[in-house]
Amino acid sequence: MDKTDAQLVNEILLDTQGSFEELVTRYTKPLYNFTLRLTGSVQTAEDLVQETFIKVWKNLTRYDPQQSFRAWIFTIARNTTTDYLRKKKTIPFSVLSKDEHLFEETLSDDATIPDETLAQLEDTASLEKLLATLPIDYQMVLLLHYQEGLTFEEIGDVVDKPPNTVKSWHRRAILELRTNLTRPPDGDHPLHYRGEGHI
Amino acid sequence: MDPKLTKIFCDFQVEPRQYLCADICHVIVLREKRSRHIKFFGYTIIAITALIAIVPTSISLVHQLGQSGFGQYASLVVSDAGALTGYWKQFAVTLAESIPGVSLALVLGIILILGWSARNAIQQTKPLSTIRRYA
């Protein structure tokens, strides 16, 4: 039977043979996919994953067992990735004006994507392009929630925001995906402001 | 959580290159080994310095113990213990006053530093078993 994250961490702290290796094996693919989608570069994603694990190794004694380990490691990955993107000055930002709030209110409250529209997302290239049009925070929420299965509370811990903010970001992300799927994104799109150096 | 979206995002995942995990472990082991070498070197220097310093401080302590009369007072405990029973409080105070406090504290401090640095230096030589293949 697979060991839990908490058991693995405990074994690593007791210097049990092979435990850290097992942790690396367990989390390399999720962290790699997370950083790859945010940076768009294979080499950068590998470097960021490596840096994340180096930080995990150095700070494992500071891990609080009360917290989800998955959320903790993704917090480190998220901070490492945003530091990298800040240095490169490629973090896009979302600006919500009054008009954008009004536009949101006119849309249906149901933050889902219709099945016929969802079929378009099954094409990896389309999903990649659409995700890249979203602000980085929205991308993180979607990746952490749907790809990694984190709850909104856990995502809140990762991005250091209240769960309600995360739910709001999630809703806006879904709405924006839906809008972009039904209408190709362009510069006049009311919901999204693209900062300079968008990935 | 929308199960269809979950499936789409899960299918969206890509496999990292084959030896990425191994490379990450290797880099961490190299960094850890380098860190341990530096620490081992540092603690060893401190231990050797403490070992060298303990010689003159011990000699000074012994010299001061002789000058203060501590030796003579202490020998009374062995030679004339019966006579001391009535005056043990005054004797204890006199004995304590004759101890060269600063020199003694210095010697004990150096011994502690020697023990601490030696223990830490030895700890740096332990194998890195939690990353077994690369340690």
Side-chain angles (χ1 to χ4, degrees):
Chain A
M1 194 171 115
D2 279 348
K3 293 173 196 162
T4 63
D5 290 339
Q7 285 172 324
L8 268 184
V9 169
N10 206 37
E11 286 183 3
I12 293 166
L13 293 173
L14 294 171
D15 201 27
T16 304
Q17 263 204 354
S19 302
F20 190 78
E21 260 180 271
E22 199 175 325
L23 194 75
V24 171
T25 308
R26 184 177 291 187
Y27 278 99
T28 294
K29 183 177 170 182
L31 291 176
Y32 175 76
N33 276 279
F34 179 70
T35 53
L36 181 64
R37 294 307 167 203
L38 295 176
T39 60
S41 160
V42 167
Q43 187 57 54
T44 306
E46 290 182 1
D47 291 343
L48 291 174
V49 171
Q50 181 175 286
E51 212 175 309
T52 301
F53 277 115
I54 289 170
K55 288 178 183 176
V56 167
W57 173 257
K58 282 183 182 170
N59 295 293
L60 207 53
T61 48
R62 292 190 206 171
Y63 164 64
D64 177 9
Q66 306 293 327
Q67 188 188 0
S68 153
F69 181 80
R70 187 168 273 263
W72 185 74
I73 199 170
F74 272 102
T75 304
I76 296 174
R78 180 249 175 188
N79 292 338
T80 306
T81 307
T82 50
D83 286 346
Y84 165 80
L85 291 171
R86 273 199 197 100
K87 278 181 196 165
K88 277 194 70 182
K89 294 181 185 169
T90 55
I91 294 186
F93 52 92
S94 61
V95 176
L96 296 176
S97 67
K98 283 185 191 172
D99 290 337
E100 290 166 352
H101 275 300
L102 278 174
F103 183 81
E104 267 184 53
E105 284 165 12
T106 62
L107 291 173
S108 162
D109 202 42
D110 178 21
T112 58
I113 302 175
D115 286 352
E116 56 275 12
T117 319
L118 211 57
Q120 296 179 47
L121 286 178
E122 287 170 12
D123 175 42
T124 309
S126 301
L127 179 56
E128 205 170 321
K129 276 185 196 166
L130 278 165
L131 263 186
T133 63
L134 298 178
I136 201 105
D137 292 329
Y138 295 5
Q139 290 184 51
M140 282 193 196
V141 170
L142 291 177
L143 289 168
L144 292 173
H145 190 56
Y146 291 106
Q147 205 165 77
E148 302 308 325
L150 265 65
T151 63
F152 290 131
E153 288 71 25
E154 287 172 330
I155 298 172
D157 290 336
V158 173
V159 300
D160 196 25
K161 292 286 180 193
N164 283 338
T165 304
V166 174
K167 285 178 191 171
S168 172
W169 286 357
H170 170 258
R171 182 173 169 276
R172 289 182 202 156
I174 296 292
L175 289 171
E176 194 162 331
L177 269 184
R178 192 169 76 183
T179 309
N180 288 346
L181 277 168
T182 52
R183 186 173 73 197
D186 54 41
D188 298 328
H189 196 288
L191 254 182
H192 174 62
Y193 171 81
R194 291 182 208 175
E196 281 185 20
H198 210 308
I199 300 170
Chain B
M1 196 185 291
D2 185 340
K4 290 174 189 159
L5 260 182
T6 303
K7 187 181 179 305
I8 285 170
F9 272 89
C10 286
D11 292 344
F12 188 41
Q13 291 190 75
V14 294
E15 286 291 331
R17 65 177 170 84
Q18 191 181 1
Y19 296 109
L20 181 58
C21 293
D23 288 348
I24 289 169
C25 289
H26 188 64
V27 164
I28 290 174
V29 164
L30 286 177
R31 280 179 173 236
E32 183 66 18
K33 278 185 174 174
R34 186 165 158 256
S35 164
R36 285 184 178 198
H37 283 145
I38 292 168
K39 283 181 187 172
F40 176 77
F41 183 68
Y43 285 127
T44 307
I45 295 282
I46 293 169
I48 291 171
T49 307
L51 206 57
I52 293 169
I54 210 165
V55 173
T57 47
S58 301
I59 293 170
S60 169
L61 177 65
V62 167
H63 180 67
Q64 286 186 38
L65 282 170
Q67 277 196 325
S68 66
F70 177 82
Q72 284 85 350
Y73 290 127
S75 66
L76 284 175
V77 176
V78 177
S79 61
D80 209 2
L84 292 173
T85 47
Y87 305 95
W88 66 270
K89 277 186 190 171
Q90 291 91 324
F91 174 75
V93 169
T94 308
L95 192 67
E97 282 175 350
S98 69
I99 295 173
V102 173
S103 289
L104 183 63
L106 200 59
V107 169
L108 289 175
I110 290 173
I111 291 170
L112 275 171
I113 289 170
L114 177 62
W116 170 82
S117 54
R119 187 193 69 145
N120 282 323
I122 290 166
Q123 271 185 347
Q124 305 310 315
T125 60
K126 280 187 190 172
L128 202 60
S129 33
T130 193
I131 314 182
R132 69 178 159 219
R133 273 184 292 173
Y134 311 98

